[in-house]
Structures are given as C-alpha cells and as structure tokens.
Amino acid sequence: MTQELNDGLPAREAALTLIDAALSRRGGIDEAASANGFRFLEPRERAFARALAMAVLRHLGPIDRALAAKLQKAPPDRVMHLLRLGAAQAFYLDVPAFAAVATSVELAGANKASRPFKGLVNAVLRGLLRDGPPGDDPTLLAPPWLMSRWTAAFGEAAAREIAAQIAIEPATDLSLKPEADAEALAEVLEAEILDGGSLRVRRKGDVAAWPGFEDGTWWVQDAAAAIPARLLDLKAGDSVLDLCAAPGGKTLQLAATGARVVALDRSPARLKRVAENLERTHLSAEVVAADAAVWEDARTFDAILLDAPCSATGTFRRHPDVLWAARPGDVASLAGVQSRILDSAADRLKPGGRLVYCVCSLEPEEGEGQVEAFLARRPDMVLEPIAPGEGGAPEASLTPRGTLRLLPHQRDGGQDGFFAARFRKAE
C-alpha cells in the first residue's frame, strides 16, 4: 500500500468508531467525536473521519440494501462497518475506487476480530464496484418505520421529499444580532439572506475563523430553529424563560432583544456551552441548571419559550445518526415528558403572557398531538394562531390550526424539521 493511503488509515479507523457509536446508540457521533482518541487526530484527519462517517449515515439504507445482496449472513459489526465505509467512499465521496477497497482491506487486517474477513471485504467491495452505485430511491434513505410514519402523516409525495434531504449535506445558517449589518456580512461571507433574517453560508471550514465570529456578531443556528423565538415578539425589558435552553441559540436570540432572560436546562455540562456563547456574543442571561418540570422558583414570566426534549428526527440533515438511533417507543415516552414540562411552563406564565412550544421532531405525537391534549386539559391557555410568513417561516409550513409544521423540503436548500405552536394565558 502506498504511503498516501497509509496516511489516511487513522482517519478511517476513527470513522469506524464514529459509525459504531452512532449505530449502537452509545451517545452518537458528537459524543464519540469528543473522546480522547478522536481529539488527538490532526484537524485534517478529524474532518476527514467525520466526513466519512456522515457519508455512511446519509446513505446507510441504500448501502445496506446493496450489501445484503452480496452477503449470505451479517458479518461482525466491525466488518459490516468496514464494508459500509468502503462503499460510501467509492460511491459518495471523491475517493478512488481502488483506495476505497485497499484501505478497507488493510483496516480489516489490522484488527484481530476482522482479520479473518479480509477476503470477504475485498470480494464484496469489488462486487459492489462492478454493479455500480445503488439506486437513488429516496425511500431507502430513512429507516422503514420512520418512512411509514412520515407517509401516514404528510402523504407519500411529501415523505419522499423529506427523505431525499437525508442525502444532502446542508449549508450553515447563521442568526445575527439585531444591530448587525446583514447585507455587509452576506457579502463578505458570500451568503444568502433568508426570510426572517438568517444568513445561509455555503462556504466550508472552521466557522470560528469566519468574519464576525470573534466579535460575537452571529451564531450558528438552523433557519427553522430560529423561527420559534421570533414568535414571542419580545420587547426590551420583558421577562422571558427559556426552558431546555441548551445549546443556546434561542437563548442568544431572546437576549439580543433586550429582554431579561432566564435560561434553564437540566444539564450543567450543556449549560457551559450556553454561558460560553453568551460571553462571546456579549449578551446576558441568568443561567440555571434544573429540571424544567420541577424547578422550584416562584417567579412568573411575560413570555416562555419551551424547546422540549424530543426524538429530534427533524435534525437529520446535520445529524443523520438520529434516524438510526431512534426507536418507535421513543416517541411515546418523550411525549409524556413534553406534557409535564408544558404544564409546568403554563404555571410559570403571567396572565396574558405568551408561550411558544416547539420540538425539532417530525412526529405528530410530539407536535400536533401535544397541542390538542394541552388545550383540552388547560382551559386557562388559548391557541394564538401564527400569521402566514411570521418569523420567516415558509407559508407552506402554516397549518389550518395556525401552528407551524416546518418540513425539511419546504425551503430551497432545506431546513430542519420543526413544529411550533403559540399560546396565550387568559387574563
């Protein structure tokens, strides 16, 4: 094997670790990428390892279908991941076919568990190359149980369009401070200004090196994720509670309005990132580590934003591992958590105050179902319909009930899947 191929072996080995973490539900890619073994790689190797893992996860359905036709029975996990990695390199990344095969065989031989399967890896990958790339049927990109759910909820055509977004690497969206010069930033970043004011940046590389990062002019936040905070229509001096605040994009939005913000999350570790972002952007908020459902604080607020814990199936554009880690039972169990936090939020709202509930989920039980159940048990809360285009939402996302069902394909270039509803407490 040439020295050039050998140089890429540590990154490919790291990619195997990321894939295994994602598919075995051991914390997912982000947690695995923060482990010591991954962080000790050179920046270029880390980026390559992540790109390899993401390519596998974005195309896992078609890859596994092609592999199933070549395998009489499933090999051990490491061998299966090696086959997936080789296929992803050959078909979806700019890696020569010979390198995809040779490095996969080399990695098989480097580990005692996979060494007996070197011949299998070589034969299967060469067979895949002879057959050519898997088809582009978008229904293969999502786990079958999720594809069935999306078809039932949104119709076959929309479900196919949602699934097609899985294979597409997204651009980076930025939220700006109100005083920022959006046009000047868009020019220097070669970005597009979206409805609502977000910037869509297609450049690659370390965002910390982009103009405006160090002085805190903007922060990374998907265009869809930026909409719920805008629906509160805050004024300077309003008291607002951001429940389940981490990682903090919405906290920064709320603080940038001049409101008095309390950012609450149960994870002290994740709140550290919120505090770091507040410091970088020169914004202020009271940061509290507590369980939103049972937080012991008697204060009430003019407005509350609840971005509730959820299955996160709407975040697959940047986190395709969520699709393969999710299980059908997750939706029902999380719905119970959401209900409890919703009731707690309503109790903390002043009369006449606004509550926005949102989830980064495509599952109706976590969105529309929560709204109807909440209204049925809380006569003190009324649904306040959202206007067409409000907050920068695509008009296609507005439901007849006046809630938002933001689907990934409803914006050119894609967006995260979200649900949002706005309520007002009776006077």
Side-chain angles (χ1 to χ4, degrees):
M1 180 174 292
T2 67
Q3 184 61 40
E4 181 181 356
L5 294 186
N6 273 312
D7 288 344
L9 289 179
R12 288 175 168 88
E13 186 66 52
L16 291 175
T17 300
L18 296 181
I19 294 164
D20 185 61
L23 298 183
S24 62
R25 306 188 82 190
R26 290 190 293 103
I29 277 188
D30 287 341
E31 184 173 318
S34 66
N36 286 340
F38 190 86
R39 289 190 288 113
F40 289 153
L41 292 172
E42 294 295 322
R44 181 177 57 84
E45 292 178 314
R46 285 201 301 270
F48 185 40
R50 191 176 184 92
L52 290 168
M54 294 294 273
V56 169
L57 295 170
R58 291 191 194 285
H59 301 278
L60 186 64
I63 288 173
D64 277 4
R65 181 167 179 169
L67 288 173
K70 301 291 183 185
L71 296 167
Q72 293 184 340
K73 64 178 182 177
D77 286 348
R78 177 180 170 85
V79 177
M80 193 68 184
H81 297 335
L82 279 167
L83 291 169
R84 289 163 170 158
L85 187 61
Q89 291 176 81
F91 295 136
Y92 304 113
L93 293 173
D94 190 21
V95 174
F98 80 90
V101 175
T103 53
S104 299
V105 172
E106 184 76 6
L107 287 170
N111 182 279
K112 182 171 66 174
S114 55
R115 194 171 299 136
F117 296 88
K118 283 180 63 176
L120 176 74
V121 170
N122 183 62
V124 169
L125 289 179
R126 290 185 181 279
L128 289 185
L129 290 171
R130 285 194 296 271
D131 293 346
D136 57 0
D137 181 356
T139 65
L140 298 179
L141 293 168
W145 72 275
L146 275 174
M147 196 67 207
S148 296
R149 289 178 63 87
W150 298 345
T151 300
F154 311 119
E156 183 176 352
R160 289 177 67 90
E161 291 191 78
I162 292 169
Q165 294 287 325
I166 297 170
I168 301 171
E169 183 180 359
T172 300
D173 295 342
L174 309 178
S175 289
L176 314 182
K177 283 183 170 178
E179 65 270 21
D181 187 334
E183 291 188 1
L185 272 172
E187 183 174 356
V188 72
L189 291 169
E190 301 177 345
E192 172 190 2
I193 302 177
L194 305 179
D195 291 342
S198 296
L199 294 191
R200 175 152 290 179
V201 186
R202 301 198 180 278
R203 66 162 63 186
K204 306 297 181 185
D206 182 5
V207 297
W210 295 359
F213 178 85
E214 283 195 8
D215 57 13
T217 303
W218 50 260
W219 53 93
V220 175
Q221 186 178 30
D222 188 82
I227 292 170
R230 298 179 188 138
L231 302 177
L232 286 173
D233 193 23
L234 295 173
K235 305 183 298 296
D238 283 348
S239 61
V240 58
L241 175 61
D242 184 9
L243 288 172
C244 311
K250 297 178 182 67
T251 301
L252 301 180
Q253 284 182 278
L254 300 173
T257 67
R260 294 177 288 116
V261 181
V262 176
L264 182 143
D265 197 276
R266 68 183 303 170
S267 169
R270 299 184 76 213
L271 280 173
K272 183 180 179 183
R273 183 175 170 191
V274 177
E276 290 170 350
N277 280 322
L278 285 166
E279 182 177 2
R280 180 180 66 81
T281 55
H282 312 292
L283 296 169
S284 62
E286 178 186 346
V287 178
V288 178
D291 185 330
V294 296
W295 180 40
E296 294 183 0
D297 192 298
R299 284 178 289 180
T300 56
F301 298 85
D302 297 312
I304 297 177
L305 177 60
L306 169 54
D307 185 358
C310 68
S311 62
T313 52
T315 67
F316 63 69
R317 293 164 62 249
R318 290 176 178 81
H319 305 285
D321 48 317
V322 302
L323 299 175
W324 304 100
R327 297 292 183 270
D330 296 346
V331 175
S333 62
L334 285 163
V337 175
Q338 293 151 10
S339 297
R340 290 193 296 275
I341 302 178
L342 254 175
D343 284 333
S344 177
D347 292 340
R348 302 178 193 279
L349 196 63
K350 292 180 180 178
R354 279 179 165 180
L355 164 65
V356 167
Y357 168 80
C358 63
V359 284
C360 54
S361 166
L362 293 170
E363 313 318 309
E365 297 93 325
E366 300 181 271
E368 293 87 347
Q370 285 292 350
V371 167
E372 301 310 324
F374 181 60
L375 291 172
R377 68 178 181 270
R378 296 294 305 228
D380 58 333
M381 302 295 297
V382 296
L383 188 66
E384 186 173 86
I386 297 163
E390 189 176 352
E395 291 198 18
S397 66
L398 188 63
T399 73
R401 280 288 266 158
T403 61
L404 292 179
R405 171 50 77 185
L406 295 143
L407 299 178
H409 66 285
Q410 289 173 337
R411 188 187 298 272
D412 288 344
Q415 63 182 2
D416 280 358
F418 254 86
F419 175 86
R422 182 172 57 201
F423 307 92
R424 186 180 290 276
K425 193 167 190 177
E427 298 278 1

